[in-house]
Amino acid sequence: MKRKMIWLGLLCLMHGLIGCVEEFDAQINNLETALVVDARLTNELRPQSILLSNTFDFDAIDPNPETGAEVVLVDDLNNTIDFIEDSPGVYTSANAMQLTQGRTYTLEITRTDGSRFLSTPQELPSETAIAAITPTRVINNSGLEGVAIVLDVEGNSADTGPDYYRYEYLETTKIVAPDFNPFAWDEVDYDFFCEDDDPWDVTIAVRQDPAKVCFASANSNDLILASTEELVTNSLEGFEVRFLSKENYYIAHRYSILVKQYHLDAEAASFYQTLSDFSNNESVFSNVQTGLIEGNINAENTDDLVLGYFELSSYSEKRMFFNYTDLFPDEELPPYVINCEFASEPPLYPEGFHATEIDGKIVIDGTSNSPLIDGILAGLIGYHDTNENYQVLDADGEPDRAPFVVKPLGCVDCREFGSNVAPEFWIEE
């Protein structure tokens, strides 16, 4: 039996909550049949999904989805919601669903071999909204100057006990190509035998699609936890969910962040805190034993392991925008995502190029390709300017063989890093 497995497969599977860890010898039996459950449901009215997979060998590239299972959510009044497998290992509610305050819910999973898994009954925590999100100019503990995205939450009154939160975010940035040019490559003729009676040729034309301003988005991939356990009140003030260095191009022009808040119960918070502790302390893995990370899902009629947690949470979200100049007026913008300082002049005709007319057709001697055309076809270079010194190659000399000045494609075309279509939520100041 293979013993070296990625036992905490859910660390890599749970929507990128935390990074994968190094391989370790977990010394656990029956890992080939361990079920990994990512079940996080909220009070949002929408179709919701549960992910099922299996532990997998360290050498495996992709997780092993659990297919063909029956997944049912049952409340304390015996009402049921069926989850249908719409892609391998992804089970989605047949219709939009919304958890109800005051109800308890149990997750039931049955594999195709009849093995059954049940969660303990869970209740939806109360709704708690994000009161404000603020970008703040700070110097962090590492001495880096930048922007801290902080939020305030007005929690429940202190006599109800502490509140626990998990956060995710979706950030979006505006990208402006620093060397945008209204012209772009048009015809690229790479006919080695010149059957159309033309030599190698490259032309430019006016661009047809916008390529100066684009937008790129990225999801958080860290496990961000907060609680009011050690606070005088149950309100969070100035809790940092994201820090961006002032040199980060993501904030160079206009930046937006959508913060997603999940209000948890104490058991779920403890589970996620344990995952976070493991991810930040690799040495503990040498002594990991079965059940050390205890979830709330149990096997009913099988000895197979089950890893994961059935989470119910109340959801809140809030979006904010800011410009770089709002926080850093009169300062240089952060450097672009790639270096656009230098231009180059790749030759259309390579060194040693020679063309011969045979039977009325021009035949190219040698095996060298065109550096210019190769760069264009590979999507590496974009048109920057016309080389005024260029002369068409003739038989009497070696004139300049580079017709154009070029830069890396992303310098002149922002679509290398994002979409030229603004998101629906995007607003300018």
Side-chain angles (χ1 to χ4, degrees):
M1 176 181 297
K2 295 181 180 178
R3 306 182 72 89
K4 288 190 175 181
M5 312 284 287
I6 297 181
W7 175 66
L8 295 179
L10 72 135
L11 292 182
C12 307
L13 299 177
M14 297 180 70
H15 296 296
L17 282 176
I18 55 181
C20 299
V21 298
E22 293 182 358
E23 177 190 11
F24 62 93
D25 195 345
Q27 300 296 330
I28 299 175
N29 295 324
N30 296 327
L31 270 175
E32 287 89 342
T33 55
L35 178 67
V36 180
V37 181
D38 179 1
R40 293 176 288 157
L41 307 180
T42 73
N43 59 336
E44 300 170 89
L45 179 59
R46 61 175 177 81
Q48 304 198 43
S49 297
I50 294 171
L51 279 62
L52 302 182
S53 59
N54 295 277
T55 48
F56 51 96
D57 295 348
F58 179 74
D59 294 332
I61 298 176
D62 299 313
N64 179 21
E66 176 68 33
T67 60
E70 294 182 6
V71 180
V72 180
L73 188 66
V74 183
D75 70 10
D76 53 358
L77 298 180
N78 212 33
N79 298 311
T80 62
I81 299 176
D82 293 325
F83 286 72
I84 309 301
E85 187 175 15
D86 55 10
S87 62
V90 179
Y91 297 79
T92 303
S93 57
N95 301 296
M97 56 166 288
Q98 186 175 31
L99 301 178
T100 303
Q101 204 76 50
R103 298 262 72 82
T104 59
Y105 297 86
T106 302
L107 179 64
E108 300 181 359
I109 301 170
T110 306
R111 278 174 158 168
T112 54
D113 64 1
S115 56
R116 192 162 179 262
F117 304 85
L118 291 180
S119 74
T120 58
Q122 300 295 305
E123 185 174 352
L124 182 71
S126 60
E127 295 186 31
T128 306
I130 300 173
I133 304 176
T134 307
T136 305
R137 181 172 178 171
V138 300
I139 297 177
N140 70 5
N141 294 334
S142 299
L144 294 177
E145 186 176 12
V147 180
I149 308 298
V150 299
L151 57 81
D152 298 332
V153 179
E154 295 180 3
N156 300 315
S157 59
D159 59 3
T160 64
D163 288 318
Y164 303 91
Y165 302 100
R166 177 173 59 80
Y167 291 98
E168 299 173 355
Y169 58 78
L170 173 65
E171 57 184 353
T172 304
T173 183
K174 180 179 180 179
I175 300 171
V176 180
D179 296 300
F180 170 77
N181 195 296
F183 294 91
W185 307 125
D186 183 25
E187 180 184 358
V188 180
D189 187 352
Y190 213 165
D191 183 2
F192 275 91
F193 296 100
C194 298
E195 293 183 353
D196 56 5
D197 295 324
D198 286 331
W200 294 347
D201 194 21
V202 175
T203 63
I204 59 172
V206 176
R207 287 183 179 274
Q208 299 301 310
D209 298 314
K212 183 177 182 179
V213 177
C214 293
F215 303 86
S217 296
N219 286 296
S220 56
N221 57 11
D222 295 320
L223 186 55
I224 307 170
L225 303 173
S227 79
T228 61
E229 198 166 17
E230 298 181 1
L231 303 180
V232 176
T233 69
N234 266 11
S235 296
L236 290 179
E237 294 183 1
F239 177 75
E240 182 180 307
V241 295
R242 178 78 165 109
F243 173 82
L244 300 109
S245 164
K246 66 176 294 187
E247 300 301 313
N248 189 330
Y249 186 78
Y250 242 67
I251 60 173
H253 296 282
R254 186 162 177 79
Y255 172 89
S256 175
I257 187 169
L258 174 68
V259 177
K260 306 174 183 182
Q261 174 180 277
Y262 301 88
H263 187 198
L264 312 171
D265 61 24
E267 291 182 359
S270 176
F271 175 81
Y272 287 120
Q273 187 60 59
T274 304
L275 288 181
S276 179
D277 292 343
F278 274 0
S279 70
N280 294 322
N281 184 3
E282 295 178 0
S283 64
V284 300
F285 289 117
S286 60
N287 295 314
V288 168
Q289 299 296 326
T290 305
L292 186 57
I293 299 183
E294 184 175 354
N296 59 358
I297 305 172
N298 302 295
E300 292 293 299
N301 60 352
T302 178
D303 293 329
D304 291 347
L305 283 175
V306 57
L307 309 174
Y309 198 87
F310 172 49
E311 173 200 315
L312 301 186
S313 59
S314 291
Y315 180 78
S316 174
E317 66 177 38
K318 199 172 187 67
R319 179 180 292 281
M320 57 84 65
F321 294 81
F322 71 87
N323 295 328
Y324 188 82
T325 53
D326 295 338
L327 299 172
F328 304 97
D330 303 321
E331 296 192 27
E332 289 188 10
L333 298 180
Y336 193 57
V337 288
I338 58 175
N339 188 347
C340 297
E341 181 177 355
F342 301 103
S344 61
E345 300 174 4
L348 174 61
Y349 300 104
E351 293 285 349
F353 172 88
H354 184 262
T356 304
E357 183 175 345
I358 301 176
D359 296 331
K361 291 186 178 181
I362 299 175
V363 178
I364 296 172
D365 299 337
T367 59
S368 297
N369 290 359
S370 165
L372 174 63
I373 295 179
D374 283 352
I376 294 172
L377 296 180
L380 299 177
I381 54 177
Y383 170 77
H384 178 60
D385 201 357
T386 298
N387 185 359
E388 296 180 354
N389 296 321
Y390 173 71
Q391 300 176 37
V392 177
L393 185 66
D394 57 36
D396 299 325
E398 287 289 332
D400 194 323
R401 300 185 306 278
F404 301 108
V405 178
V406 305
K407 284 198 172 185
L409 185 58
C411 298
V412 301
D413 191 333
C414 65
R415 292 174 298 177
E416 284 292 285
F417 306 111
S419 169
N420 60 5
V421 178
E424 291 184 0
F425 61 80
W426 192 264
I427 56 175
E428 292 292 340
E429 57 182 341

